[in-house]
């Protein structure tokens, strides 16, 4: 993939996720210039040095960074990973309150130095934070959106591909809704090649998929992050890769279809909350595909997801 001339990506937050986004972006050549910004000066400087020391092996991208927000100057894309991690016993609403405060302080400063950037929010709970950030900045909804269920969708496709005996690229499936407990797969649109998933005959002689099995796959995908966090304390590599992929779709003006999370406006009757639905991602940002159809039970699940998120957002306003 060719790096776009003079394209600039700033990653906000030099923790496990932010550093992984920067690392993935450098290796993939997602942007010509990568900047890492965090108020923890020593940590940020160390991460930037560590990344820069590998510059011989990563193509033509370069990396800068520090604790001064001016490193983000002129960014085309800003990926926000900064925020507190969920502590044991802490509720999602408590975490949302802490991270909403951090974002409220930071967004005006980022807009000062990168007024034309597209903002991608990775900090959790990303859907709620996207609504609050969009409301407080007044940015058009397409220019500030969350990474949403892009990673969850990758997890889903990986599981289906393993079981079906095909390449991940041949699995067409999406997780939509909240990036969290109320997310769900769009089974009505899931195909392997052109074959609906329940009609697929696995190549290794295994039986066809069943509805019960698909239900279990949905649960496994939803809970995948918990398993990783339990074992190593954080999820970082896969979210780093998926965020770099979103950045590329923006910088290369790809018009790629991805399930990112934007503030919806009468999308199948849902307004004022950010939910992941198939969207076209380009240099303008993200635009939900309004023609996406849902089965009756899927529409109910979408409404349920919207209700859960609206409750959290309302409690923080």
């Amino acid at each position: 993939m060719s790096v776009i001339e003079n394209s600039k990506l700033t990653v906000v937050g030099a923790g496990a996720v932010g550093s992984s986004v920067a690392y993935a972006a450098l290796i993939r050549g997602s942007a010509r210039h990568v900047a890492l910004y965090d108020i923890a000066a020593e940590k940020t400087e160390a991460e930037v040095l560590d990344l820069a020391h590998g510059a011989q092996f990563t193509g033509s991208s370069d990396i800068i960074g520090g604790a001064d927000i001016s490193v983000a100057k002129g960014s085309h894309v800003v990926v926000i990973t900064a925020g507190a991690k969920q502590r044991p016993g802490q509720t999602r609403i408590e975490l949302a309150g802490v991270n909403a405060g951090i974002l409220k302080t930071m967004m005006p400063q980022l807009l000062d130095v990168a007024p034309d950037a597209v903002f991608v929010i990775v900090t959790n709970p990303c859907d709620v934070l996207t609504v609050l950030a969009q409301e407080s900045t007044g940015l058009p909804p397409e220019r500030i959106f969350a990474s949403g269920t892009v990673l969850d969708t990758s997890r889903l496709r990986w599981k289906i591909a393993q079981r079906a005996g095909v390449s991940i690229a041949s699995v067409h499936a999406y997780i939509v809704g909240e990036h969290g407990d109320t997310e769900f797969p769009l089974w009505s649109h899931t195909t392997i090649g052109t074959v609906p998933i329940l009609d697929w005959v696995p190549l290794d002689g295994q039986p066809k998929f069943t509805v019960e099995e698909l239900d279990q796959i949905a649960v496994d995908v939803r809970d995948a992050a918990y398993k990783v966090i339990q074992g190593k304390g954080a999820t970082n590599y896969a979210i780093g890769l998926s965020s770099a992929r979103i950045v590329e779709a923006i910088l290369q003006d790809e018009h790629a279809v991805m399930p990112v999370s934007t503030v919806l406006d009468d999308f199948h009757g849902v307004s004022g909350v950010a939910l992941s639905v198939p969207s076209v991602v380009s240099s303008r940002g993200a635009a939900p595909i309004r023609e996406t159809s849902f089965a009756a039970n899927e529409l109910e699940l979408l409404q349920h997801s919207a209700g859960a998120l609206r409750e959290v957002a309302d409690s923080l306003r």
Side-chain angles (χ1 to χ4, degrees), residues 139-302:
L139 279 170
E142 63 269 17
R143 270 187 56 202
I144 184 160
F145 60 92
S147 51
T149 54
V150 172
L151 171 53
D152 311 80
T153 291
S154 174
R155 289 170 174 148
L156 176 70
R157 292 182 183 185
W158 171 72
K159 280 194 85 73
I160 293 171
Q162 274 197 315
R163 167 76 167 82
V166 297
S167 135
I168 294 181
S170 302
V171 176
H172 308 291
Y174 291 96
I175 295 275
V176 297
E178 173 195 14
H179 170 58
D181 295 341
T182 64
E183 67 183 38
F184 62 96
L186 273 183
W187 291 130
S188 63
H189 290 290
T190 301
T191 63
I192 297 162
T194 60
V195 180
I197 188 161
L198 290 171
D199 297 338
W200 180 259
V201 179
L203 305 180
D204 55 4
Q206 285 194 75
K208 286 159 77 165
F209 287 92
T210 63
V211 171
E212 293 73 31
E213 187 183 2
L214 296 186
D215 287 344
Q216 188 53 52
I217 287 173
V219 170
D220 290 347
V221 168
R222 186 194 70 202
D223 295 346
Y226 298 129
K227 195 172 179 180
V228 176
I229 290 165
Q230 195 178 350
K232 56 175 264 190
T235 61
N236 58 304
Y237 297 129
I239 187 63
L241 285 164
S242 52
S243 300
R245 180 67 195 90
I246 294 167
V247 168
E248 290 153 23
I250 298 166
L251 290 175
Q252 309 227 16
D253 195 24
E254 279 184 31
H255 292 75
V257 176
M258 295 177 161
V260 294
S261 177
T262 58
V263 180
L264 300 176
D265 179 21
D266 195 18
F267 181 89
H268 290 278
V270 175
S271 293
V273 291
L275 286 177
S276 290
V277 296
S279 305
V280 174
V281 182
S282 67
S283 59
R284 293 186 56 225
I289 300 169
R290 293 188 166 275
E291 298 75 21
T292 306
S293 59
F294 292 77
N297 67 314
E298 291 168 347
L299 264 183
E300 276 176 33
L301 290 168
L302 189 73

Side-chain angles (χ1 to χ4, degrees), residues 59-185:
S60 60
S61 301
D62 55 36
I63 175 102
I64 60 163
D68 191 311
I69 201 144
S70 64
V71 299
K73 192 172 172 55
S75 298
H76 300 98
V77 182
V78 176
V79 173
I80 298 174
T81 72
K85 277 207 298 225
Q86 196 161 358
R87 296 193 312 273
Q90 186 181 36
T91 69
R92 212 164 106 253
I93 294 181
E94 286 165 350
L95 177 70
V98 173
N99 286 342
I102 293 170
L103 215 57
K104 254 189 179 132
T105 309
M106 206 165 49
M107 279 307 300
Q109 301 170 354
L110 286 167
L111 276 166
D112 270 354
V113 293
D116 301 320
V118 171
F119 293 85
V120 182
I121 295 177
V122 177
T123 305
N124 276 324
C126 63
D127 305 295
V128 173
L129 295 179
T130 297
V131 172
L132 299 175
Q134 192 271 324
E135 284 175 357
S136 67
T137 56
L139 279 170
E142 63 269 17
R143 270 187 56 202
I144 184 160
F145 60 92
S147 51
T149 54
V150 172
L151 171 53
D152 311 80
T153 291
S154 174
R155 289 170 174 148
L156 176 70
R157 292 182 183 185
W158 171 72
K159 280 194 85 73
I160 293 171
Q162 274 197 315
R163 167 76 167 82
V166 297
S167 135
I168 294 181
S170 302
V171 176
H172 308 291
Y174 291 96
I175 295 275
V176 297
E178 173 195 14
H179 170 58
D181 295 341
T182 64
E183 67 183 38
F184 62 96

